[in-house]
Amino acid sequence: MIAARALARSLSRRHRTATVLMVLLLGLSSGVVGAAVAGARRAEGSLARYDASARAFDLAVFSCPPGVDPTAFESQVHFAEACFGRDQTRDAVETLRGIAGVDEVSIDSFAVGGVLDPEATSGWGYVAGLAITDSTRGSSHGDPRLIAGRFPDPHAADEVLISEVTAAQGRLALGDRFRLASWSTDELDLGVSGALEPTTDAVELEVVGVGRFRDDLAPPGADDVSDLFVDGDLLVSGAAAETVAGFATYGQGAAVRLDRGQAGIEEFQRRLGEVWDDRAFFAQSTAPDAGAADSVATVIAVEKSATLGVAAVAVIAVVAFGMLTLLRQQRAELGDHGALQAMGMTSGDLRAASGFRSARIVGPAVAVGLGTMVALSPATPFGVARRAEPDVGVFVDAWVALGLVVGVSVLVFGAALAPARRESRALARPQRSPRATRSMAASLGPVIRSGIEMARGSWPRVAAGVAALAAAAMVAAIVTVASLERVVDQPIRYGAWWDLSAGDYSDPDALADGAAAVVADPDVASVAGLFDQADSITLDGQAVTLKGYVPFKGDPGPVLAEGRAPIRDDEVALGAVTIRRLGLDIGDTAAMVAPDSGTAVDLTVTGIFVNANPIVLNESAGLGAFLTTSLVEEVTPGVAQELLIDFRPGVDVDAAIARLARTYRGRMVPVQPGDDIRNLDRLSVAPWALAGLIATLAGATLVHALVTTVRRRRHDLAVLAVLGLVRGQVRQVMAWATAVTMARAVVIGVPLGLVVGPKLWEILQDRVSVPSGAVRPVGMIVVVAVVSMVAGHTITTVATRSQLRLRLGTLLRGD
């Protein structure tokens, strides 16, 4: 054992530079892998931590005075005046504060204002939404994450906090002062459509903070081409809420925080029903709705998968290169073992020396790896998960750290002990005669035959395997990205049959006027009003978002993944996610109840539709229940909120929108995919990153394999040179060896990629509930095969140039 320790110390001193490089290679690479894995694990809980940190209230409560029927209103504005007025809400708040289990009650409202700016294209400014609350920080939708500045002083009447999106689109920054005005409630739809300038007195507010609301987690969609609206919210609270008290709102409600949080909602609703048994009321959870939660969670899940995929490839790279480098280093260090055995050292002593030598690498490598992982932790998680994570400071994942320690130790000790055993047994083994000198008269000729023989070694097989993996990854990336791009480029595949969505309606007269202006355009082929209302119906006891169209021109229907659209009032089409949650299938029956109208009917499922929602972009394409127009109008007192417009085939859509803008006033947004599709598209670089990383690994492995093969076969090549092969023919031998190696890789890798790519796309399309088959671009796949062959030969030429400069006397001296 003493001799083994002495030998290990001697090897460390002789190979100090190699040891340092090995420590850095293993430490830095394992640290990067550890940071990626820890970041992915951290991303998994980031959304839940955001919701927990942002929770301000548990319920939004609305009530009508005794004797008022909420189903009797066609206009949302008149409905809000009757049931969601300020005096009615104040009376309700006093009642709610007396109910057991209530911790705090605040008055919330959503108002509409105009940011006055004479330089805007409208001539007066932009329409903006105001979240108004008498709470000191947040609204019923949750506390925003403070990004810059501070929260408004509750005693200051001119301070406001704006969202990130509002700051970017409205070109507002900390310290900016701006003027804000509004309309009367009766003028609200005209104001929102841009047909009327603000009519109230203007107030001046100062931006004191910029916050990140939950809706800001995912990047915003396409801009409104009408240049009339500013997305996001202005949070007005405390004394400033009184400053804008006269602004037009869509109604006010009470935000309620419970002692038991969301767990106390059922008990609270029971008690509220006992108190308000003489009136209609609505008590809705302020937890993120299923559509929004699914969408953001889907994006985070995809980002996590991409991160873990990159980490997995990096692990392969660490193991492959680390193992190869360690093996080469150990074999170089074992060159003197014959003499050491002759001096009395046993095989056990040699293995112990390798173990001690490895321990001098493992310790520092683990330290560097852990330090790198911790240093990189503030940069994780990535993407949407990073925007959601409340604390992106230094983070240590104990399980990942343990895995790093074990992984590095197993890699180093395994690579060290294996060659020690083989080398000690191989010292007395006689050298085999050169394979390249056999069968020189073979029909293929000596050059081709020798190249094929050289491609049969263990290192070329490793190179072929890794190159096949690279080719498969590249083909899979091509299939996945091409399939995604087809969905993005063809809106019908994500459920949108329209070219443009327009308006934001709550009044039937305003809707009729807007529809008339659109229908009159000769380039318009179809127009439909979109109903999209949450909590209007239940199916088999579960709340489901209601969907439906009211046609104004043509007869448009939903995009179907399976089955057919409902044509009778006892039929329904469901989203893919909704039908799974309800445990139904096409042909099954579900009991529908509409609380507002009291309608109860059994509906037969006729199909699965793809939900494209231009109003709520973060809603999953698999959610909702699509009903006939007559049934929608029966169960909901509201009006269609949006107009969906499809232009005639062959029409220049951009030019048609520009012409329509001259006669139609209001929000106009060109068709765009939902957040889940857009975020997948944003992450489409991930397959290319994976493929590129694997290709880099394959190239480096090929270089290593070629150099190792040439070194091992230099005697064989020297013999061939003696037999008459010139230097150019020797290069041809290596070219044929490379051709055979890369041909194996292409023959295995391309078909493998054609299997993996569609499977990967199938997983992604199921996640976003978009039924669209995989695309297999034959031309690009052929390019991958050709590029693989050319890259292999290029690498061969560069990597073996110096190795093929044979010195025959030196090489054959031992023979």
Side-chain angles (χ1 to χ4, degrees):
M1 193 63 66
I2 296 177
R5 289 180 180 275
L7 177 58
R9 286 194 295 271
S10 174
L11 291 174
S12 297
R13 287 193 296 270
R14 289 171 54 192
H15 302 281
R16 182 174 298 144
T17 301
T19 301
V20 171
L21 292 176
M22 180 58 60
V23 166
L24 292 176
L25 169 67
L26 292 177
L28 293 176
S29 56
S30 63
V32 171
V33 171
V37 175
R41 284 168 51 85
R42 193 179 188 182
E44 187 172 3
S46 61
L47 187 58
R49 287 190 290 274
Y50 178 91
D51 289 336
S53 66
R55 184 186 76 83
F57 296 91
D58 299 299
L59 291 128
V61 179
F62 309 91
S63 66
C64 293
V68 175
D69 181 6
T71 65
F73 298 94
E74 290 187 3
S75 169
Q76 179 69 27
V77 173
H78 296 156
F79 178 42
E81 285 180 338
C83 294
F84 302 156
R86 190 171 184 83
D87 292 338
Q88 164 67 13
T89 302
R90 288 186 182 278
D91 292 341
V93 165
E94 294 304 317
T95 301
L96 293 172
R97 285 175 176 158
I99 296 178
V102 172
D103 177 51
E104 182 183 350
V105 183
S106 170
I107 296 178
D108 269 11
S109 63
F110 186 80
V112 178
V115 179
L116 303 185
D117 181 0
E119 296 182 2
T121 56
S122 67
W124 60 264
Y126 305 94
V127 177
L130 285 73
I132 303 176
T133 176
D134 60 6
S135 175
T136 56
R137 287 185 58 183
S139 67
S140 59
H141 298 290
D143 296 339
R145 172 98 50 79
L146 193 62
I147 303 301
R150 58 177 174 81
F151 283 97
D153 184 340
H155 303 292
D158 62 346
E159 294 186 352
V160 64
L161 180 143
I162 64 176
S163 72
E164 283 183 300
V165 174
T166 303
Q169 291 189 358
R171 296 175 289 278
L172 295 171
L174 285 179
D176 286 352
R177 299 188 70 85
F178 63 95
R179 299 174 68 237
L180 193 68
S182 187
W183 301 266
S184 68
T185 301
D186 289 337
E187 299 168 334
L188 185 55
D189 269 31
L190 290 174
V192 170
S193 69
L196 181 68
E197 295 183 17
T199 57
T200 68
D201 293 335
V203 298
E204 188 171 277
L205 300 175
E206 179 182 357
V207 178
V208 298
V210 177
R212 179 176 299 161
F213 294 77
R214 198 183 196 281
D215 289 343
D216 299 333
L217 293 180
D223 291 337
D224 168 30
V225 295
S226 70
D227 194 31
L228 180 64
F229 291 81
V230 176
D231 287 334
D233 288 330
L234 286 71
L235 179 61
V236 185
S237 61
E242 293 298 326
T243 303
V244 296
F247 282 17
T249 74
Y250 286 110
Q252 298 185 341
V256 180
R257 179 186 287 115
L258 302 176
D259 293 335
R260 296 174 54 203
Q262 296 282 319
I265 289 179
E266 185 175 348
E267 178 64 19
F268 171 80
Q269 289 176 327
R270 185 188 64 79
R271 292 174 178 171
L272 188 58
E274 295 173 353
V275 174
W276 281 345
D277 59 353
D278 60 342
R279 70 190 67 188
F281 68 89
F282 316 91
Q284 301 171 352
S285 170
T286 59
D289 64 88
D294 284 350
S295 176
V296 177
T298 296
V299 176
I300 292 177
V302 173
E303 291 174 340
K304 175 188 172 184
S305 299
T307 303
L308 289 176
V310 173
V313 176
V315 168
I316 295 173
V318 172
V319 172
F321 290 117
M323 183 71 74
L324 291 173
T325 307
L326 285 165
L327 286 173
R328 289 184 61 186
Q329 183 64 33
Q330 290 290 334
R331 286 174 179 174
E333 294 177 352
L334 289 171
D336 296 333
H337 281 198
L340 294 172
Q341 283 188 324
M343 296 171 61
M345 292 192 72
T346 64
S347 297
D349 291 333
L350 295 178
R351 287 195 293 272
S354 295
F356 289 131
R357 172 81 172 97
S358 299
R360 291 175 173 266
I361 297 175
V362 168
V366 166
V368 172
L370 292 176
T372 301
M373 186 181 78
V374 174
L376 292 176
S377 64
T380 65
F382 311 102
V384 175
R386 181 172 183 80
R387 294 176 61 80
E389 178 59 47
D391 180 11
V392 291
V394 174
F395 173 76
V396 179
D397 190 314
W399 288 107
V400 177
L402 179 61
L404 184 150
V405 173
V406 173
V408 171
S409 300
V410 170
L411 175 64
V412 175
F413 284 111
L417 297 179
R421 291 192 298 268
R422 287 197 300 270
E423 194 71 21
S424 62
R425 290 196 301 266
L427 287 173
R429 190 178 300 162
Q431 295 292 321
R432 301 174 65 183
S433 58
R435 299 177 65 182
T437 59
R438 305 176 198 161
S439 305
M440 295 303 295
S443 59
L444 295 177
V447 172
I448 299 177
R449 175 72 179 185
S450 299
I452 294 174
E453 288 290 330
M454 294 188 72
R456 291 179 179 175
S458 58
W459 291 115
R461 284 198 296 270
V462 171
V466 179
L469 184 61
M474 195 63 68
V475 171
I478 289 172
V479 170
T480 303
V481 174
S483 302
L484 177 59
E485 287 179 348
R486 184 173 69 169
V487 170
V488 173
D489 293 339
Q490 300 178 15
I492 194 72
R493 293 185 176 274
Y494 56 78
W497 50 265
W498 58 88
D499 298 308
L500 179 73
S501 60
D504 183 9
Y505 297 102
S506 60
D507 181 80
D509 294 334
L511 172 65
D513 292 341
V518 174
V519 168
D521 191 302
D523 287 334
V524 172
S526 300
V527 183
L530 170 65
F531 285 93
D532 179 84
Q533 295 189 7
D535 302 313
S536 292
I537 62 171
T538 63
L539 289 178
D540 287 345
Q542 295 189 35
V544 177
T545 302
L546 174 150
K547 311 285 180 178
Y549 297 153
V550 52
F552 291 104
K553 187 175 184 179
D555 189 23
V559 176
L560 296 168
E562 256 184 88
R564 63 172 176 83
I567 56 177
R568 301 194 320 231
D569 289 350
D570 60 351
E571 295 178 340
V572 63
L574 301 177
V577 174
T578 298
I579 201 170
R580 282 199 303 268
R581 287 178 177 173
L582 294 174
L584 299 175
D585 203 347
I586 294 177
D588 292 344
T589 300
M592 187 200 78
V593 176
D596 291 347
S597 64
T599 302
V601 61
D602 289 338
L603 301 179
T604 300
V605 181
T606 62
I608 299 174
F609 82 106
V610 184
N611 171 39
N613 190 341
I615 300 174
V616 185
L617 288 176
N618 61 4
E619 185 176 57
S620 168
L623 292 177
F626 190 92
L627 309 179
T628 61
T629 302
S630 55
L631 185 57
V632 169
E633 292 176 337
E634 176 184 338
V635 302
T636 176
V639 300
Q641 298 101 313
E642 196 104 351
L643 290 174
L644 306 179
I645 305 165
D646 183 43
F647 294 105
R648 290 185 295 103
V651 169
D652 184 331
V653 173
D654 291 337
I657 292 175
R659 287 195 302 273
L660 184 61
R662 291 195 288 268
T663 57
Y664 177 85
R665 295 292 296 172
R667 180 191 293 270
M668 300 174 67
V669 180
V671 64
Q672 58 185 312
D675 286 350
D676 45 10
I677 299 294
R678 289 189 301 107
N679 284 301
L680 274 183
D681 190 42
R682 187 170 56 88
L683 290 171
S684 61
V685 68
W688 295 119
L690 284 171
L693 186 56
I694 296 176
T696 303
L697 167 63
T701 304
L702 183 59
V703 170
H704 182 275
L706 290 170
V707 172
T708 303
T709 299
V710 171
R711 285 183 175 177
R712 288 189 167 192
R713 297 297 185 88
R714 282 168 71 88
H715 283 79
D716 298 3
L717 295 173
V719 171
L720 293 174
V722 170
L723 294 176
L725 264 68
V726 298
R727 180 174 297 178
Q729 290 176 308
V730 174
R731 291 197 182 95
Q732 291 177 28
V733 170
M734 291 306 303
W736 277 103
T738 303
V740 172
T741 300
M742 296 309 297
R744 290 174 182 167
V746 170
V747 169
I748 296 173
V750 170
L752 179 61
L754 288 174
V755 172
V756 173
K759 290 294 184 183
L760 177 59
W761 172 243
E762 185 178 337
I763 293 172
L764 292 178
Q765 74 170 18
D766 285 346
R767 285 190 176 219
V768 296
S769 302
V770 174
S772 179
V775 177
R776 298 172 178 83
V778 176
M780 293 187 68
I781 293 172
V782 172
V783 169
V784 169
V786 173
V787 169
S788 298
M789 299 295 294
V790 173
H793 283 285
T794 303
I795 291 173
T796 297
T797 302
V798 175
T800 61
R801 184 186 301 273
S802 62
Q803 300 294 326
L804 294 178
R805 295 170 184 167
L806 305 176
R807 296 178 177 84
L808 301 183
T810 302
L811 292 172
L812 299 176
R813 188 173 299 154
D815 293 348

